[in-house]
């Protein structure tokens, strides 16, 4: 009799735990199919920021922009390994950075301290015959 009563309470306790865990907000937000597009977007951005911050601390996200690019996280290998970014070393070595960085540099969002390297590194990808035009854009955007 005493044993049955104990089992009864253990079952009740287990049920309460299961209900509690299934209502935790975290277990819901981790289920992608239940997330709204807005929640997925926020999740995506928070993951991106987390990856960049962790790699930045290890000096493994070295970008050439004022605000680090996102493209390199999934573009590697090519501009780094794993989720790293090597656009900065590509730029100073006369090699083109990732496509996002090329676009952002031409919009004027590159790190201005690197401006002397931009035109040649971009021309390495789009064609050296465009070097003069690219240099004109860089001179204008980083005056
Ligand atoms: Zn980049």
């Amino acid at each position: 009799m005493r044993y049955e009563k104990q089992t009864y309470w253990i079952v009740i306790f287990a049920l309460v735990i299961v209900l509690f865990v299934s209502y935790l907000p975290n277990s819901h937000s981790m289920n992608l199919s239940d997330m709204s597009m807005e929640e997925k977007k926020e999740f995506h951005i928070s993951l991106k920021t987390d990856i960049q911050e962790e790699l930045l601390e290890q000096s493994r996200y070295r970008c050439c922009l004022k605000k680090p690019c996102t493209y390199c996280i999934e573009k590697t290998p090519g501009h780094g390994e794993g989720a790293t970014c090597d656009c900065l070393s590509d730029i100073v070595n006369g090699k083109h950075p990732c496509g996002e960085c090329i676009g952002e540099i031409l919009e004027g969002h590159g790190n201005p301290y690197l401006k002397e390297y931009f035109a040649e590194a971009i021309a390495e990808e789009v064609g050296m015959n465009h070097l003069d035009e690219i240099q004109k854009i860089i001179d204008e955007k980083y005056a």
Side-chain angles (χ1 to χ4, degrees), residues 34-114:
D34 290 340
M35 286 167 83
S36 70
M37 196 49 73
E38 189 59 32
E39 287 171 324
K40 284 182 184 176
K41 180 189 159 186
E42 281 170 23
F43 185 48
H44 172 80
I45 292 171
S46 71
L47 259 185
K48 175 208 79 168
T49 309
D50 187 71
I51 291 170
Q52 288 175 334
E53 283 174 359
E54 195 176 319
L55 290 175
L56 267 167
E57 274 173 25
Q58 305 166 7
S59 301
R60 291 169 66 215
Y61 212 87
R62 291 161 302 176
C63 193
C64 55
L65 302 179
K66 285 190 253 180
K67 180 177 175 278
C69 69
T70 302
Y71 203 32
C72 282
I73 293 174
E74 51 184 280
K75 185 66 179 175
T76 52
H79 299 283
E81 288 300 323
T84 63
C85 172
D86 277 342
C87 288
L88 174 61
S89 66
D90 286 342
I91 284 274
V92 298
N93 288 309
K95 278 171 59 192
H96 68 278
C98 76
E100 180 182 346
C101 284
I102 291 177
E104 291 289 324
I105 287 168
L106 293 175
E107 286 182 353
H109 302 138
N111 179 341
Y113 294 106
L114 300 169

